[in-house]
Amino acid sequence: MVGLPYDHVANPLGLVRQTFERAVAAERVDPSSSSGGDWGALDLFRDFLSDPISLSQVPVLNPENLSWVRPNSLVRFRGMVQDMLGNEFYVGAFKEGSKWRTNKFTDVASFPMAPESEQRLWERRLYYCVPVPGQNSWTLGSPCSSEAVKNMYGNSGSSPQGEKRPRDAGADCMDVNVDEDRPLAPRSRSHVPDFDANSLPCLVKIYDSLEDELKLNDVFEFIGVLTFDSEILAHNGDPTEFPDLVQHCDSTELPSCKVPRLHCVIYRRLYALDFLQNFHITEPLPNLVRSVRDSLLGHLTAVLGNDGTAANFVLLHLLSRVHARVDSLAVGKLSLNLTGFIAESISIFGSQLNNALKSLLPFTRTIPLTMEYLNSASFVPKKDYQTNRLVPGVLQVAQGTHVTVDETLLKPGMLISTGVENARLLKYLLESQKVEYEFEYYKLEMPADVQILILSEGKSNILPADVVVPFRPSNVLSTVNTNSKDLQAWRWYLATLRELPHSIEPEMQKMIEDDMVKSRQEDRSLGANDFSRWMTMSRLISASLGETNLSLEHWKMAKELERLRKERLN
């Protein structure tokens, strides 16, 4: 029996070329008039990758295995879309003699293109993607370790197909010519630039998809063909031997010798559940949800020094999200200001709470609110027209990111114009869940969905949170013990219940309206913001119990929490 002439992982371009040539031969594709599109290759990739075992053979690109993964092999990259670089044209198909060939999913032609040959320009879109800002280490588990990658690509007994042709001395540093149909000699490790887990970027090239499917700050897993040329960096001879390469690599155009390219064949948007490791519960059954809720609430209570009221508000805060927008109002958000922190308590409980949040949530960031930081940090992305790049800012984060603002560090001082603007931008994000991106002649508002927690000594004057809760710890635990099973359950709980839909039956809506009228008659200080907060808290209590319909019990629980909170404010 004859095996496949290509390997999905080690030789994906062989699959692309062969399916193209078969489609042309069967007259299912006419390259002379085609503008691209799929000719059956993607179905083969989808069938292969739908098998978990096959998918596990595709390495997740990271700084550890970058120098071992062979160019023109199939890899995965998980990251956030940080910048959209527009479209580029490339020679998608060309005629070699009487035979049509394709350059799809690669930077350069695998066969020589004569200047007089018939050629067709196709189009693809470019996205600059980075590791998700604030991504926590527990989400980074890779099904294909760097050791496995070394075994795959470094041993002569298992070397993949694909052989690098000799390069011309004047070639561009992104011109990696590969003949995937011939076996390769073993490849040794080569030198690549130093990257860490938070800085490995990737230029993703997208084919045949709708333009609005990928948006700024969305998180995706891309699977595609890697092109990354580190030969110039590994060269130990005279650097003048490759003058064109060095010049290109030092340019601002994201050269492939510094930024890996991934020619995407399949992508999917990622959610919090996608970052859980080896946890397979999918349905939030009521008994299970209540059990996990109780254990998580107990954990948060221990972290917060036995302050059960604060723990309840933190739980609701962690389940909050923007589920609708009405005019300028972001419905569903619940920013939280825990007050009463001093230098001693922030070092204990603030540290414990931050550690807990990092262990529970995929993406977290901490903003140290000092005068120096406000006056110097760049909070919002800015367009650099010299490089045609979007320079990232502190507030460019993925949807669902949790941001903790430590206001206990703020000391008396003078804010310069940058500091005043940064304070305004942070407040605007808190209130509207929007970030203003700066372009040279205008500002563009980008919607956000960021959970914001403020830790402060007194009520924050800079960041007016939706809920202010005085923090009242009663004891200090030297350690707050957790086990991996509980952590997995808590992560699943927060990721799953945060996305639950919610509705209110007409009868329940009428009961709530009547109770609001009664409450207003009893306390004339109550206003629209109070009732809106009660509704949000009630909805989140419903979600915390795994229920999608608001009940009278949930409404009463919210009002009781409000009563306990107000007792502390008096």
Side-chain angles (χ1 to χ4, degrees), residues 14 82 125 154 187 190 412 539 557-558:
Q82 188 183 87
R125 297 198 306 280
R187 180 187 180 197
S190 60
R539 186 189 68 81
M557 291 172 68

Side-chain angles (χ1 to χ4, degrees), residues 10 21 57 107 111 134 137 141 145 168 201 213 227 229 244 259 262 266 311 324 344 412 429 488 492 506 560:
E21 291 168 5
Q57 298 172 15
D107 288 316
F111 296 87
S137 59
S145 67
D168 294 331
E213 286 184 356
T227 57
D229 188 6
D244 293 339
V259 179
L262 190 146
I266 293 175
E344 182 179 357
L429 171 62
Q488 289 279 37
W492 166 84
E560 175 61 15

